[in-house]
Amino acid sequence: MIDKNLARLRRARQTRLRIRAVGAVRLTVHRTNGHIYAQLTSAAGDKVIASASTLEKEVRSQLKKGGNRKAARSSASASPPRERKRGSKKVAFDRAGYKYHGRVKALADAGARLRT
């Protein structure tokens, strides 16, 4: 039986292969019990364009906890102004094998609303 983390990593690898074929900038999510992190990576995958997390001062000052949906929405609102400065047009969401549910969904939805 495959353990949970190996299955997640297998799903993440398949997603990244599809995103690389499209050639889009990748918005990657990583979550822990206490915080959530987001990174914009170039289409080639060699450079981090922008990053945001619940560990940043401006986000932490607004929140009581960093590991909930409200925190995920707040960290997403910190990322798009940086993204617009870099001029990225086509962004693919890489959920890193996590279910599109809860904090991951909140981060993606908040980021999508701010990008349009």
Side-chain angles (χ1 to χ4, degrees), residues 40-106:
L40 276 170
T41 310
S42 65
D46 57 345
K47 293 181 187 172
V48 174
I49 299 168
S51 65
S53 75
T54 54
L55 288 173
E56 294 176 357
K57 274 187 178 180
E58 65 235 16
V59 176
R60 281 192 92 162
S61 64
Q62 301 169 5
L63 303 171
K64 189 174 181 180
K65 293 183 181 179
N68 56 22
R69 286 183 296 196
K70 183 179 176 187
R73 284 190 293 269
S74 296
S75 68
S77 66
S79 179
R82 296 178 205 155
E83 174 190 340
R84 281 193 211 108
K85 286 180 190 173
R86 310 282 192 301
S88 54
K89 304 279 187 218
K90 192 175 181 183
V91 178
F93 184 65
D94 178 6
R95 58 190 173 87
Y98 298 116
K99 286 184 180 180
Y100 189 76
H101 181 268
R103 291 185 288 159
V104 175
K105 183 179 178 187

Side-chain angles (χ1 to χ4, degrees), residues 23-37:
V25 173
R26 188 166 48 113
L27 173 62
T28 308
V29 173
H30 178 73
R31 66 183 172 93
T32 63
N33 287 337
H35 297 283
I36 192 157
Y37 310 86

